Amino acid sequence: MDIGWAKRRIQGLMQAVVALLVLLLTGSIVPVNRGFRQTPGGIPVYVVSNGLHTDLVVPLRESRTHTDWLAHVADSAIKQQFASYQYVAFGWGNEGFYLDSYGGHFPRVGTALRALLPSATLMHVDFYRTPPRTGERAVALHVSPAQYQQLVHIIEHSFQPDSAGRFVLRNGAGYTSEDFFFRARGRYHALRTCNDWTNSALRRAGIRAALKAPFAPTVMYQVRQIQQDTVDR
């Protein structure tokens, strides 16, 4: 065995790991769309977090953009149950991690490790009777109709629909009676996490976000800066 070759391979691997860590750390603090400002009287969008995971919460129906999220759901029982609700939350994530969390359990070590590699995903959909209460774990933004339509497009495209374009249920129930899991597009891995999905959706819609945000605190930091910019104006 060529010891020099093996040594070069190890050094190359270490350099790649260091470069990845630098990307994650610096990307987390570098803002994109720094000039974004909230739209007075705009459409309310909430970014919520449980400390580990982030969701986007949007109006269940929005008249200016003619958006009705229940129209995408084939299940008539769901449509009837949530017809009077006001908001809906969307989160994208690892299928195994989500399903292993039933009953309030933290996923097993093996499930967490497998999530580091490309794996199947789900969309978590949670219905809200009223807007989220803003505070430590929820930030409210007001965006323009054009920005909101971009968010709608990104969220819609994250689902894996049936032949009729409707969202496909993965399970008959989620963690509570008000949330569900649907089939999703894309593969989850260490560089494409649930929080990176939220961050990417904000960034692609022209809303301030991080260059890279694998963790929830980074997502929340950037959206809080939007609020601070509003106060400072």
Side-chain angles (χ1 to χ4, degrees):
M1 182 179 183
D2 187 337
I3 297 178
W5 175 84
K7 184 177 181 180
R8 288 193 296 274
R9 287 293 298 271
I10 293 173
Q11 289 175 336
L13 179 60
M14 292 178 63
Q15 290 172 351
V17 170
V18 171
L20 175 60
L21 290 174
V22 170
L23 171 64
L24 293 178
L25 292 174
T26 58
S28 294
I29 60 175
V30 175
V32 179
N33 303 324
R34 191 167 186 170
F36 168 81
R37 294 295 183 269
Q38 298 197 64
T39 299
I43 299 170
V45 172
Y46 297 81
V47 183
V48 302
S49 172
N50 63 5
L52 295 175
H53 174 84
T54 50
D55 284 339
L56 293 173
V57 182
V58 299
L60 185 59
R61 299 179 185 84
E62 206 293 305
S63 59
R64 281 170 283 185
T65 56
H66 307 290
T67 305
D68 181 356
W69 290 104
L70 285 178
H72 293 280
V73 180
D75 191 300
S76 59
I78 291 178
K79 290 183 176 182
Q80 182 177 1
Q81 181 180 354
F82 300 108
S84 63
Y85 281 53
Q86 296 184 36
Y87 285 82
V88 59
F90 296 102
W92 178 91
N94 177 265
E95 180 178 47
F97 203 92
Y98 272 142
L99 299 184
D100 216 20
S101 301
Y102 273 96
H105 300 296
F106 191 83
R108 292 165 292 185
V109 174
T111 301
L113 291 176
R114 284 191 293 273
L116 298 176
L117 302 175
S119 47
T121 55
L122 295 175
M123 286 294 291
H124 185 220
V125 179
D126 196 356
F127 293 92
Y128 284 56
R129 289 186 180 274
T130 57
R133 180 178 298 176
T134 57
E136 182 180 351
R137 295 193 172 185
V139 174
L141 307 175
H142 288 84
V143 305
S144 70
Q147 290 162 340
Y148 184 71
Q149 285 179 317
Q150 283 294 315
L151 276 180
V152 168
H153 173 74
I154 293 163
I155 295 169
E156 287 177 344
H157 190 71
S158 297
F159 286 84
Q160 182 64 61
D162 62 16
S163 58
R166 297 170 299 190
F167 299 161
V168 180
L169 273 172
R170 167 60 172 81
N171 281 14
Y175 302 135
T176 72
S177 62
E178 297 180 316
D179 69 295
F180 303 86
F181 289 108
F182 292 81
R183 299 288 184 184
R185 288 189 171 108
R187 306 291 284 178
Y188 186 104
H189 52 78
L191 297 180
R192 178 60 168 160
T193 67
C194 53
N195 299 303
D196 193 57
W197 177 85
T198 304
N199 184 76
S200 177
L202 295 169
R203 186 182 70 240
R204 290 165 59 192
I207 301 167
R208 176 170 175 149
L211 179 64
K212 192 70 176 174
F215 307 114
T218 302
V219 178
M220 301 306 290
Y221 170 77
Q222 293 296 344
V223 294
R224 290 193 189 285
Q225 289 301 113
I226 296 172
Q227 287 191 324
Q228 186 60 48
D229 290 342
T230 302
V231 171
D232 292 340
R233 290 184 66 185

